[in-house]
Amino acid sequence: MSDKTGNDADKIVAAGPENGPALVSSTEEGPAAPGWLEPEVDKALTVLGLPADKLQTFRDSYIDCLAAAPRGEDLDVAHDACRRGLLAALRPAFTLSDETERRLEQALEAVETRLTADL
């Protein structure tokens, strides 16, 4: 569409950061986790003896939390918070023995240690 002067420049709408992206790009940066993290978290969660589909939401939230941990801060503190959040969410959803919960906590701590070392 042109205005009366034939000038289309007035009709262009900016698509810069101030107005949001024009299209979602697959190269946009966001929290990301290394490819090995998901299978390792899945393996850690097997100590619960529960079906993966029942744990999916908890698993995904935990992985998202680990991926979003601020790199400029103490990662151990951030990872501890993610693990405590996962355990706090699991307690009311499932009946876990103290022993099972401790085994899960130890398995998750091992995953977090590896993640910290990789960053």
Side-chain angles (χ1 to χ4, degrees):
M1 272 195 247
S2 299
D3 61 11
K4 292 180 184 178
T5 63
N7 186 353
D8 289 333
D10 294 336
K11 305 291 183 198
I12 297 173
V13 177
E18 67 280 354
N19 295 320
L23 297 172
V24 175
S25 167
S26 63
T27 60
E28 289 183 31
E29 290 189 31
W36 60 263
L37 182 62
E38 290 186 28
E40 290 299 312
V41 169
D42 291 340
K43 188 164 61 171
L45 290 171
T46 64
V47 303
L48 297 176
L50 297 167
D53 63 325
K54 294 198 180 282
L55 295 170
Q56 187 70 42
T57 303
F58 301 99
R59 169 203 180 268
D60 292 347
S61 294
Y62 175 68
I63 291 171
D64 289 346
C65 182
L66 292 176
R71 302 299 187 249
E73 297 178 20
D74 186 347
L75 286 176
D76 290 333
V77 171
H79 292 169
D80 288 348
C82 294
R83 184 176 59 264
R84 283 192 312 268
L86 173 62
L87 293 170
L90 287 171
R91 280 183 203 112
F94 305 101
T95 302
L96 305 176
S97 70
D98 290 342
E99 179 185 335
T100 299
E101 188 173 321
R102 184 64 192 141
R103 286 185 19 230
L104 174 61
E105 188 171 23
Q106 290 171 339
L108 295 174
E109 286 172 347
V111 170
E112 294 162 12
T113 297
R114 180 175 171 199
L115 180 59
T116 300
D118 277 6
L119 299 177

